[in-house]
Amino acid sequence: MKIISRKIGSNRGERRIWIEGKTLSEYGWVKGTPYVKKVYEDGTIALGKSFQGKFKIAGGEDRPVIDLNGKYVTATFKGFEKVSVRITESSITISGDLS
């Protein structure tokens, strides 16, 4: 398991979370990996690998990318400037970070 911190960015007036590179590929989150997304009201978004997932890891073979943005990110992380990202082989949990 790896835990990293990321600043919350913006895109077209909405909040954005961008995770990329070796941090993902070390745990098998490579380009084309399908996943499901669950948004919780407590300031958390969970991603889980799933063959039925309608989302896929983007980017290139050497630089996988997860790009989460839109109204749901803005609402979920209202009041936060950073997130804590916990990455395992099967899931990624993104939580608001007040530190």
Side-chain angles (χ1 to χ4, degrees):
M1 176 177 57
K2 184 169 201 160
I3 299 174
I4 59 174
S5 181
R6 290 286 183 262
K7 283 187 169 185
I8 299 173
S10 65
N11 180 43
R12 298 181 184 178
E14 300 294 344
R15 315 278 320 266
R16 176 185 225 170
I17 297 169
W18 182 277
I19 307 164
E20 68 177 328
K22 186 177 176 184
T23 303
L24 294 172
S25 60
E26 283 179 340
Y27 290 91
W29 292 84
V30 295
K31 179 183 178 184
T33 302
Y35 65 92
V36 294
K37 174 175 53 182
K38 176 82 173 159
V39 179
Y40 297 94
E41 293 181 16
D42 69 349
T44 302
I45 295 176
L47 311 177
K49 286 183 183 176
S50 173
F51 290 115
Q52 289 79 32
K54 70 176 189 173
F55 303 101
K56 290 186 179 181
I57 302 296
E61 297 300 324
D62 59 336
R63 194 180 125 247
V65 172
I66 295 175
D67 180 12
L68 306 175
N69 65 80
K71 293 180 191 276
Y72 75 97
V73 175
T74 300
T76 302
F77 298 111
K78 185 176 182 176
F80 293 100
E81 296 303 317
K82 295 189 308 184
V83 291
S84 177
V85 182
R86 192 184 92 205
I87 304 170
T88 71
E89 287 82 8
S90 61
S91 67
I92 297 175
T93 304
I94 305 163
S95 303
D97 184 354
L98 292 173
S99 63

